[in-house]
Amino acid sequence: MGRRLADLFHGRTSLQVGGLLAGPMGWLVILYLGSLVVLLVASFWSVNAVSGELQKTFTTDNYHELLNQSVYKTVAFRTVRIAALATLTDALLAFPIAFYMAKIASPRVKGLLLVAILMPLWSFYLVKVYAWQTMLASGGVIDWALNPIGLNGPGYGSTAVWLVESYLWLPYMILPIYAGLERIPDSMLSASEDLGGKPWTTFRRVVLPLAFPAVVAGSIFTFSLTLGDYITPQLVSPDTQFIGNVIYSNHTNNLPLASAFAVVPIIVMVIYLGIARRLGAFEHL
Amino acid sequence: MRLSPATRNLLRGGVAITLAFIYIPLIVIAIYAFNGGNSLAWPPPSLTTEWFGKAIDNTGARDALWTSIKVGAVATGIALLLGTLASFAVARYRFFGREAISFLVVLPIALPGVVTGVALSNTFTQVLGVDLSLFTVIIGHATFCIVVVYNNVIARLRRVSGNLEEASADLGAHTWQTLRFVTLPNIQTALVAGGLLAFALSFDEIIVTNFTIGAGEQTLPIWIFSNLFRPNNLPIVNVVAVIVVLLSIIPVYFAHRLTREESISARGGGAAAAAEAAVVVN
Amino acid sequence: MSRLRAHPAWMPAGIVVGLAAIMLVIAGCGSSNNNGGSSTEAQKSIGPGEGKLNIICWAGYCEDGTITKGVDWVSPFEQETGCQVNVKIGDTSDQMVDLMRTGQYDGVSASGNATARLVEGGDVAPVNTDLVPNYKTIFPDLKDQPYNTFDGVNYGIPHGRGANLLMWRTDKVSPSPTSWSIILDPNQAKKYSGHISVYDDPIYIADAAMYLKAHQPDLGITDPYELNDDQFNAAVDLLKKQHPYVGDYWSSYLKQINLFTSGDDQVGSTWQYQYFTLLADKVPVAAPGPDTGYVPTEGATGWSDTWMIAKNAKHPNCMYKWMNYVTSAPVQAQIMQWFGEAPAQSTACDPATVETADKALGLPPDPKFCDNYHAADPAFWKRVYFWKTPLADCGDDRGNSCKDYNDWVSAWTEIKG
């Protein structure tokens, strides 16, 4: 039987490709893309205020509301701003350690550092956010550390969200940059030195441009993960809304509105991915 | 690269700061796991190990752990199958739309989890009319685990050229024989690495799980979330967290050993390292 | 690799479009919810228990010993009836409605801003009060109310009623407030900027409306849940002015307890459950006293909760047994004192019953409990505006010009900013 099946496929490459792709593509296209399409369709519906039933008649009311009520723009801009800040912070924090690991550390230290960075990835996201929640509380670790020098911790709020998001996704920025830097042949750096370049010049004009696509690749994760996060804001910034919170709190009693608002991060990410691809980041994924 | 000692020390300083940033919150949690007091005041008034015993006894935590393992195993299995199939198609064949597939596979992870969650939960409850349950959770997890396996396997396939398979065919082996004796042994470490990472992804996941889980079930992250504010159970959460971090040394070590061979090749290193990074959380 | 170069035999684009079209069609014909406004019948008799029960409760209503050791009236029920109870605590009415709509629960302790939606959405069945013997002795002013009786049909068994509480940290707030203006008047709220705690639910808009009823009578607000455009906008504006000073929009009662304990929250609206928990933990908090009926000068919003049974409950007999058990005098006496609300069961105020409950909970004897909480005082409850579902139909001569719940939800998102 196995032989017959093998004979059937033999030589018919289109059948082979089709057979291989049927499962994964079926899953991703029908289930995943299809769900996104259904979500898009739902954004043009409305919901009965009392019974909660979906009224499946076409209406652009949800989009009108998104555009007219200023709060949605405020929330969207706030979220994008924090996502950008967190991405920037992570890039700045990640580069030194990635560079050190790629170019300076001995193989043993490199291995150790790699394990040191990977281990926290395995501790729960929730636990990390909760750790920050306790640290940021009044009288918690951060206040305890800053009070002696007369400062107060940032407490809960957007600053806290920026801190926590930077913290959570830092490893996802370090690793692609590290991998990207590893690919830069040492010979190139020596060549730059031989041509009279000081270390900073070499860094600026050789290393940075070559590593940039890797940074962009890492930024895809940090940006996207921050953009949709609704749990971190709930825990460390209970009085401000982010895109994730608005979608989460509306998705059961007003699904059409939540779907319409969900279109915003989708569009943002699609544009971001498009730009990232142009910058060559996809080679580094 | 030659750097002045000052620059080197500056870099070392940067490394130290970053490592401190990464580990301090975890150390704080570890200390709280021994917290003898009732509140979250710092520093903890006293230390005790009683919570470790309570954590092991706690049936809610144990049930949630078992549920997480079940879900993770099945989701990983599905992801292994689909991810491998897709990576074979893309690595070994040329056809119209090949690039689009890489894009499509990455999408569930690149789009914010809240969007994936709402979309899937809506499809399950409104379109398909099924109740949310562990089954729906597994489907959600498998969807974004596919990319992790895909990245690992395709990186390996690109390094191991198709010549071996051609040679095997030339020597008279059928498709299945080639598969069994030539291809699979070559990619098995990539499969294990991808599988480990996919399992980690599923084990830790909460953002999408919140949307797709049924009312009576709990995975471990959901259990943690529901207990985060309960003063009585809080210390148990700390203990669970510490145990998970400590236990995680094992799979991290394995995944690292397995993908180390690929770190040698620059291209594979990038994909594998980033695959390891590829969102243990979404 | 030449052998492997395939013909362009596969058009993924075409397949994507085709499948998307299929999904669109399926979505259009997708399964719809249960039809609303049902005429299902109430159960006629109670059979043997099914061995299990899944209920959604407000915090403090269904204590089973896991939250506080020793406080447990669920276990005796389980032993008596054999129905193993799985309690899910709901943080907001919205959440309770969502959970009921999944169809995986047998019953819920629903407040007035959930009952109409559950009935309209076809998620609950009428209740046959004859099957609940304890119903007879429930306070008469709780029976046949607009929040538990629809079109003359009873949809639930009253549980108890109470008013939302103004609470403050005595060491951080002075002088002691007697009015909601401490958090609703921007000039006063400024003082506690970042430390004000407010319930995270659109229904809180009614609190602002009630405040304006007393402080801006020319708006003509009579019912804080039935607001026309002007009244609604005034209430929303007031809350937008309050927003910069709010530190915590709470939905988890446990989180609010933590925040008041740490001092991040210093004044705000809360429930008696948190108040008593904080007192027991020796946190210095206070609330208006019994002399004012625990209510500030403007009155308060509040709730009158009803036990409802799911439409196709999997364990209906256990649910009826529960409804009778939870409205029995000894259990009501415990719940009322543990949570801090007025009971529905009139016989729970019997002094001997109250004393037994105090002993069971480890509380000091409090024979004046029912008096303090105005359990048998219908006139008092006129100052408490029970949560109810805002409907477009104003219920008076203004016709259908009032804001409905969708408007309240959108406004709430806007207020939080």
Side-chain angles (χ1 to χ4, degrees):
Chain A
M1 222 289 279
R3 279 202 158 188
R4 287 252 186 88
L5 213 50
D7 286 338
L8 177 64
F9 279 99
H10 182 70
R12 298 197 180 92
T13 48
S14 48
L15 212 54
Q16 288 172 11
V17 172
L20 283 174
L21 286 177
M25 285 306 109
W27 185 286
L28 286 174
V29 171
I30 300 184
L31 187 59
Y32 184 67
L33 279 187
S35 297
L36 291 180
V37 166
V38 172
L39 201 68
L40 187 62
V41 167
S43 71
F44 290 103
W45 292 343
S46 59
V47 68
N48 179 304
V50 185
S51 69
E53 242 185 284
L54 284 176
Q55 323 280 33
K56 293 181 184 171
T57 45
F58 182 86
T59 166
T60 53
D61 281 349
N62 296 315
Y63 287 100
H64 278 300
E65 179 156 347
L66 289 185
L67 291 171
N68 291 335
Q69 299 279 36
S70 60
V71 65
Y72 298 102
K73 293 194 199 94
T74 312
V75 168
F77 281 130
R78 174 188 299 142
T79 316
V80 169
R81 201 180 67 232
I82 299 282
L85 274 176
T87 301
L88 217 57
T89 312
D90 279 345
L92 287 172
L93 279 175
F95 219 95
I97 194 172
F99 190 78
Y100 190 83
M101 285 200 317
K103 290 297 166 209
I104 302 187
S106 67
R108 200 178 58 96
V109 174
K110 184 189 303 205
L112 281 175
L113 282 178
L114 208 53
V115 172
I117 294 174
L118 287 178
M119 247 190 51
L121 277 184
W122 282 75
S123 55
F124 288 128
Y125 155 89
L126 260 187
V127 168
K128 292 181 202 162
V129 183
Y130 159 61
W132 274 94
Q133 188 197 31
T134 52
M135 292 194 338
L136 288 163
S138 273
V141 175
I142 295 193
D143 275 350
W144 171 83
L146 288 179
N147 277 339
I149 52 176
L151 292 174
N152 263 333
Y156 298 134
S158 292
T159 318
V161 178
W162 161 65
L163 271 175
V164 178
E165 302 284 358
S166 306
Y167 174 80
L168 287 169
W169 317 129
L170 182 58
Y172 306 139
M173 182 65 92
I174 297 181
L175 290 168
I177 298 183
Y178 159 69
L181 285 173
E182 272 228 307
R183 287 191 220 179
I184 301 178
D186 286 346
S187 50
M188 234 188 238
L189 300 174
S190 312
S192 166
E193 276 178 334
D194 293 340
L195 287 171
K198 296 220 196 68
W200 176 246
T201 320
T202 309
F203 177 77
R204 209 165 42 94
R205 304 186 60 184
V206 179
V207 175
L208 215 45
L210 287 174
F212 188 64
V215 177
V216 177
S219 77
I220 294 179
F221 292 121
T222 58
F223 194 81
S224 151
L225 290 167
T226 309
L227 200 64
D229 200 345
Y230 59 89
I231 293 195
T232 302
Q234 260 184 45
L235 292 179
V236 301
S237 180
D239 60 336
T240 31
Q241 301 181 104
F242 291 79
I243 292 181
N245 302 112
V246 174
I247 297 179
Y248 185 69
S249 55
N250 276 308
H251 89 278
T252 32
N253 53 46
N254 195 344
L255 179 71
L257 189 64
S259 313
F261 200 47
V263 167
V264 173
I266 294 181
I267 293 182
V268 170
M269 278 322 294
V270 168
I271 296 179
Y272 199 99
L273 284 172
I275 299 178
R277 211 175 100 192
R278 284 283 186 78
L279 294 172
F282 272 42
E283 318 300 315
H284 293 257
L285 269 182
Chain B
M1 195 168 154
R2 267 175 318 166
L3 289 172
S4 67
T7 325
R8 266 180 200 260
N9 284 334
L10 210 60
L11 268 181
R12 286 211 182 93
V15 172
I17 293 179
T18 308
L19 283 179
F21 184 54
I22 293 181
Y23 275 95
I24 286 183
L26 297 178
I27 296 176
V28 167
I29 285 292
I31 296 182
Y32 273 117
F34 295 95
N35 186 11
N38 237 350
S39 76
L40 296 176
W42 181 268
S46 57
L47 299 177
T48 165
T49 54
E50 62 169 301
W51 302 116
F52 281 85
K54 291 226 175 102
I56 300 184
D57 284 339
N58 189 307
T59 46
R62 284 210 312 261
D63 289 340
L65 176 65
W66 177 232
T67 306
S68 276
I69 293 179
K70 279 193 297 198
V71 167
V74 181
T76 303
I78 299 178
L80 278 174
L81 183 63
L82 297 179
T84 312
L85 288 175
S87 58
F88 262 100
V90 174
R92 294 279 184 258
Y93 297 83
R94 285 225 196 98
F95 51 88
F96 177 74
R98 207 177 92 174
E99 238 192 53
I101 295 198
S102 289
F103 189 84
L104 185 57
V105 170
V106 164
L107 213 54
I109 271 191
L111 285 188
V114 69
V115 172
T116 309
V118 178
L120 284 180
S121 110
N122 178 47
T123 303
F124 289 137
T125 52
Q126 300 291 336
V127 175
L128 299 175
V130 297
D131 278 340
L132 297 177
S133 62
L134 284 186
F135 188 57
T136 53
V137 174
I138 290 174
I139 294 182
H141 286 196
T143 309
F144 50 74
C145 284
I146 292 179
V147 65
V148 174
V149 176
Y150 174 85
N151 273 343
N152 265 295
V153 178
I154 208 174
R156 177 63 66 86
L157 284 177
R158 283 184 175 142
R159 274 203 315 130
V160 176
S161 80
N163 290 336
L164 281 174
E165 286 149 24
E166 280 204 39
S168 161
D170 290 342
L171 288 171
H174 271 271
T175 321
W176 306 125
Q177 287 171 318
T178 309
L179 194 67
R180 241 182 85 199
F181 296 115
V182 178
T183 325
L184 278 183
N186 270 333
I187 63 169
Q188 68 185 14
T189 48
L191 284 179
V192 175
L196 274 177
L197 294 166
F199 187 81
L201 210 71
S202 159
F203 200 65
D204 178 31
E205 219 289 321
I206 180 150
I207 292 200
V208 175
T209 314
N210 247 341
F211 288 95
T212 50
I213 198 164
E217 306 279 359
Q218 283 189 325
T219 59
L220 197 53
I222 300 244
W223 178 86
I224 292 180
F225 196 48
S226 67
N227 279 300
L228 265 188
F229 305 122
R230 290 170 184 271
N232 288 338
N233 283 348
L234 204 50
I236 300 183
V237 173
N238 293 332
V239 168
V240 169
V242 169
I243 293 180
V244 168
V245 172
L246 289 179
L247 283 183
S248 71
I249 301 182
I250 306 172
V252 165
Y253 181 66
F254 268 120
H256 177 57
R257 286 297 300 272
L258 287 170
T259 52
R260 212 165 34 155
E261 310 143 39
E262 303 177 20
S263 313
I264 301 171
S265 137
R267 190 172 176 80
E276 283 183 76
V279 192
V280 173
V281 163
N282 197 359
Chain C
M1 292 278 266
S2 57
R3 177 179 82 99
L4 298 171
R5 189 170 308 161
H7 326 292
W10 203 64
M11 306 294 274
I15 298 203
V16 169
V17 169
L19 286 170
I22 295 180
M23 283 302 277
L24 273 167
V25 171
I26 297 180
C29 317
S31 58
S32 55
N33 298 333
N34 297 329
N35 295 325
S38 66
S39 52
T40 39
E41 304 243 305
Q43 202 160 316
K44 295 277 194 329
S45 62
I46 306 183
E50 297 91 350
K52 226 176 146 229
L53 181 63
N54 297 315
I55 46 178
I56 306 167
C57 305
W58 287 108
Y61 281 17
C62 311
E63 295 291 323
D64 57 3
T66 58
I67 313 258
T68 313
K69 264 203 170 32
V71 179
D72 179 2
W73 46 84
V74 166
S75 301
F77 170 77
E78 290 176 329
Q79 281 151 16
E80 225 178 88
T81 60
C83 302
Q84 291 310 304
V85 181
N86 170 32
V87 173
K88 170 86 179 161
I89 296 188
D91 288 326
T92 63
S93 288
D94 281 354
Q95 186 190 23
M96 291 183 162
V97 171
D98 293 339
L99 288 171
M100 281 301 281
R101 285 188 182 150
T102 63
Q104 294 179 340
Y105 290 93
D106 301 302
V108 59
S109 58
S111 300
N113 57 342
T115 50
R117 289 193 277 158
L118 289 171
V119 172
E120 210 37 51
D123 303 298
V124 291
V127 164
N128 184 347
T129 54
D130 292 333
L131 299 178
V132 181
N134 287 318
Y135 184 76
K136 295 192 191 54
T137 39
I138 297 230
F139 285 112
D141 60 325
L142 284 171
K143 296 184 186 176
D144 303 317
Q145 293 298 307
Y147 49 80
N148 57 27
T149 307
F150 300 88
D151 284 335
V153 180
N154 275 324
Y155 272 87
I157 307 288
H159 168 90
R161 53 189 160 179
N164 289 316
L165 200 62
L166 172 66
M167 179 169 76
W168 62 91
R169 282 278 297 249
T170 49
D171 55 335
K172 311 256 193 213
V173 173
S174 70
S176 292
T178 53
S179 151
W180 290 105
S181 55
I182 189 171
I183 58 175
L184 278 172
D185 177 358
N187 293 327
Q188 294 189 36
K190 228 187 302 204
K191 247 178 92 181
Y192 305 101
S193 177
H195 299 291
I196 295 184
S197 177
V198 152
Y199 192 41
D200 186 2
D201 189 309
I203 210 72
Y204 186 70
I205 297 177
D207 281 57
M210 172 200 72
Y211 180 80
L212 290 174
K213 174 172 189 241
H215 292 262
Q216 279 185 37
D218 44 307
L219 278 172
I221 299 178
T222 46
D223 180 345
Y225 300 95
E226 296 301 341
L227 305 170
N228 63 18
D229 282 347
D230 290 334
Q231 299 164 338
F232 187 71
N233 291 335
V236 170
D237 281 338
L238 184 65
L239 290 177
K240 283 186 179 162
K241 293 207 191 84
Q242 183 200 48
H243 170 71
Y245 309 124
V246 175
D248 166 35
Y249 285 97
W250 69 273
S251 52
S252 158
Y253 67 101
L254 288 164
K255 193 149 76 99
Q256 191 189 40
I257 291 178
N258 283 346
L259 290 172
F260 263 95
T261 309
S262 70
D264 283 295
D265 282 348
Q266 292 167 3
V267 62
S269 77
T270 183
W271 301 329
Q272 291 74 357
Y273 182 81
Q274 289 89 305
Y275 174 58
F276 288 124
T277 306
L278 287 164
L279 282 181
D281 283 342
K282 309 272 193 300
V283 179
V285 290
D291 42 315
T292 61
Y294 307 108
V295 156
T297 50
E298 300 89 351
T301 51
W303 64 88
S304 178
D305 292 340
T306 310
W307 286 101
M308 301 182 110
I309 184 170
K311 186 160 182 184
N312 293 315
K314 296 196 181 69
H315 315 100
N317 296 324
C318 277
M319 188 60 204
Y320 266 95
K321 289 182 201 280
W322 170 258
M323 290 198 284
N324 192 43
Y325 176 79
V326 82
T327 49
S328 63
V331 179
Q332 281 270 304
Q334 285 196 52
I335 297 181
M336 74 186 188
Q337 298 194 77
W338 183 247
F339 185 91
E341 58 176 3
Q345 180 57 259
S346 57
T347 55
C349 291
D350 167 51
T353 315
V354 174
E355 209 188 309
T356 319
D358 286 332
K359 286 215 191 75
L361 295 174
L363 293 173
D366 191 2
K368 292 177 63 76
F369 184 90
C370 282
D371 289 337
N372 286 338
Y373 278 84
H374 298 267
D377 182 4
F380 169 76
W381 297 102
K382 301 256 183 339
R383 284 174 71 214
V384 177
Y385 304 94
F386 293 139
W387 284 344
K388 72 180 217 233
T389 311
L391 299 170
D393 178 2
C394 301
D396 54 30
D397 52 354
R398 292 174 295 172
N400 269 3
S401 63
C402 282
K403 296 294 197 186
D404 70 10
Y405 194 59
N406 273 350
D407 298 321
W408 284 54
V409 175
S410 310
W412 188 245
T413 308
E414 220 188 301
I415 289 169
K416 288 205 290 182

